[in-house]
Amino acid sequence: MEQYKQEFIEFMVESDVLKFGEFTLKSGRKSPFFMNAGAYVTGTQLRRLGEYYAKAIYDSYGMDFDVLFGPAYKGIPLAVVTAIAFSDLYGKEVRYCSDRKEEKDHGADKGSFLGSKLKDGDRVIMIEDVTTSGKSMEETVPKVRGAADVEIKGLMVSLNRMEVGKGGEKCALDEIKDLYGFETNAIVTMEEVVEHLYNKECQGKVVIDDTLKSAIDAYYEQYGVK
């Protein structure tokens, strides 16, 4: 596993973004882990987050793109900090764009988008925190493709939960790939998280012990991609 992935896993735990215990998800599933990207709140955390996204995007898609698109609301800061990181790490200027939940009908920036306008020929990377059901893509992909003649190169999320999506057979990222025809990737998978943290100390304590590992295994036995 790449060094930046190992660092990112520990960073999620240290930032209180990835938690372990018992959580009820929006889907109603009882999960032994939960991710809340809204817990990245400091300047240092956001700078590091952008760097991890930039490295993962570079590994998966290279620099063959023009725009980072972050769906509102959580995708907005993700697109901004990753655009900054791309400039700092790779010397490449990429634009950011996000959609508005409510269209603005006045001013010089009126319309359905924040940031850069999408132009014909733009190559776009979609960027999100985590995808469980793919619902946000249902809303934003038609907006992006309807705004201009763009090519969506792919989607990058921070964590692939590796559980079945709405179809009940494939994970949400694979469902999105099949439905929209672009690549989908994550900085890390939950399998990599467990591999890295199992019986290992992080911030002075073992994060995933035998009991928690058993709960995670049971969860994936029920909801994991077969």
Side-chain angles (χ1 to χ4, degrees):
M1 191 191 313
E2 293 89 337
Q3 182 67 30
Y4 78 85
K5 291 190 174 192
Q6 298 178 40
E7 292 175 3
F8 180 65
I9 291 167
E10 295 178 20
F11 172 61
M12 285 193 290
V13 175
E14 292 163 4
S15 302
D16 212 24
V17 165
L18 182 59
K19 299 181 179 184
F20 297 93
E22 186 174 309
F23 307 92
T24 301
L25 306 180
K26 190 184 296 185
S27 62
R29 296 173 183 174
K30 303 284 188 185
S31 173
F33 60 91
F34 182 73
M35 184 192 164
N36 173 28
Y40 296 119
V41 291
T42 70
T44 300
Q45 287 174 333
L46 291 166
R47 175 182 55 78
R48 290 182 64 188
L49 181 62
E51 289 172 355
Y52 290 127
Y53 265 101
K55 289 175 181 177
I57 289 171
Y58 181 81
D59 274 1
S60 297
Y61 304 109
M63 296 197 289
D64 188 27
F65 69 98
D66 310 292
V67 181
L68 287 165
F69 187 93
Y73 289 103
K74 287 183 179 178
I76 297 173
L78 293 180
V80 171
V81 297
T82 305
I84 293 169
F86 242 91
S87 176
D88 289 344
L89 293 176
Y90 304 110
K92 177 178 174 63
E93 294 292 356
V94 296
R95 291 143 42 217
Y96 99 90
C97 181
S98 297
D99 59 324
R100 298 178 190 269
K101 291 289 189 182
E102 301 84 22
E103 185 166 344
K104 186 178 179 184
D105 61 3
H106 62 281
D109 62 340
K110 68 180 180 179
S112 302
F113 298 97
L114 291 168
S116 171
K117 291 190 181 301
L118 294 170
K119 302 180 296 188
D120 288 351
D122 276 343
R123 298 159 301 173
V124 180
I125 300 290
M126 310 289 280
I127 184 168
E128 276 205 305
D129 56 347
V130 64
T131 296
T132 302
S133 68
K135 182 171 175 55
S136 64
M137 288 295 105
E138 287 181 20
E139 299 169 353
T140 53
V141 168
K143 284 185 184 179
V144 170
R145 287 178 168 165
D149 183 15
V150 304
E151 177 189 2
I152 299 178
K153 302 285 291 187
L155 166 68
M156 180 62 70
V157 302
S158 58
L159 177 68
N160 181 355
R161 290 184 58 100
M162 299 178 65
E163 58 194 81
V164 291
K166 292 188 301 183
E169 293 182 2
K170 299 180 178 180
C171 73
L173 287 180
D174 285 340
E175 287 182 345
I176 290 168
K177 179 179 179 179
D178 290 347
L179 187 59
Y180 299 111
F182 53 75
E183 292 296 316
T184 56
N185 288 282
I187 302 177
V188 292
T189 67
M190 200 59 206
E191 183 179 26
E192 290 171 327
V193 170
V194 173
E195 174 192 329
H196 184 64
L197 293 179
Y198 180 45
N199 280 338
K200 176 182 176 181
E201 284 196 5
C202 182
Q203 288 199 305
K205 65 178 181 179
V206 173
V207 180
I208 300 180
D209 58 14
D210 289 340
T211 302
L212 184 56
K213 173 70 160 53
S214 295
I216 293 172
D217 288 346
Y219 182 78
Y220 279 108
E221 187 64 33
Q222 185 171 5
Y223 298 116
V225 178
K226 298 293 189 284

